[in-house]
């Protein structure tokens, strides 16, 4: 009986949403709003953003990927944290540090509106 009550409470509790809220994300959505305002990428989910980041990183040269990896602090910053909001924000920050944000914004816009 207690198990059923706990299941009901868990089902009734609101789901925790992940948010993309950082200076790096603000820079990203401002860049995409300027390029493709109808895509509304400011509403992108962490999972969709992660996929677009992985696709973009796959287009970089080996040396660009190495330089990006050297400044991407997602691993240490996000260790022990669930979800993708932390690593996607950290990766955006790394794009900024390596001068790749404009290129990533263009690539993200090419992917169309978020799912």
């Amino acid at each position: 009986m207690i198990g059923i009550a706990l299941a009901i409470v868990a089902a009734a509790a609101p789901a925790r949403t992940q948010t993309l809220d950082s200076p790096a994300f603000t820079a990203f959505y401002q860049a995409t709003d300027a390029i493709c305002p109808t895509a509304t990428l400011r509403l992108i989910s962490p999972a969709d953003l992660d996929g677009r980041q992985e696709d973009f990183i796959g287009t970089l040269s080996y040396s660009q990927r190495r330089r990006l990896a050297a400044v991407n602090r997602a691993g240490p910053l996000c260790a022990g944290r669930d979800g993708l909001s932390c690593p996607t924000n950290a990766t955006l920050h790394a794009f900024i540090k390596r001068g790749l944000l404009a290129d990533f914004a263009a690539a993200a816009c090419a992917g169309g509106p978020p799912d």
Side-chain angles (χ1 to χ4, degrees):
M1 194 59 125
I2 292 175
I4 293 171
L6 289 175
I8 291 170
V9 170
R16 291 181 51 200
T17 58
Q18 294 184 40
T19 59
L20 293 165
D21 183 22
S22 70
F25 183 71
T26 299
F28 166 73
Y29 81 67
Q30 288 174 342
T32 58
D33 280 357
I35 299 168
C36 57
T38 59
T40 61
L41 290 172
R42 68 177 51 218
L43 303 176
I44 197 166
S45 70
D48 193 6
L49 181 58
D50 180 64
R52 292 180 196 221
Q53 288 175 336
E54 287 184 12
D55 291 345
F56 175 71
I57 291 168
T59 70
L60 300 176
S61 70
Y62 174 75
S63 62
Q64 287 175 309
R65 287 193 308 271
R66 285 191 60 207
R67 287 193 302 272
L68 180 65
V71 297
N72 192 341
R73 306 281 301 143
L77 285 174
C78 305
R81 295 178 68 176
D82 291 334
L84 291 170
S85 60
C86 181
T88 53
N89 277 309
T91 300
L92 287 173
H93 183 71
F95 288 162
I96 292 168
K97 288 180 85 172
R98 286 295 178 222
L100 295 169
L101 186 65
D103 292 337
F104 175 62
C109 282
D115 293 335

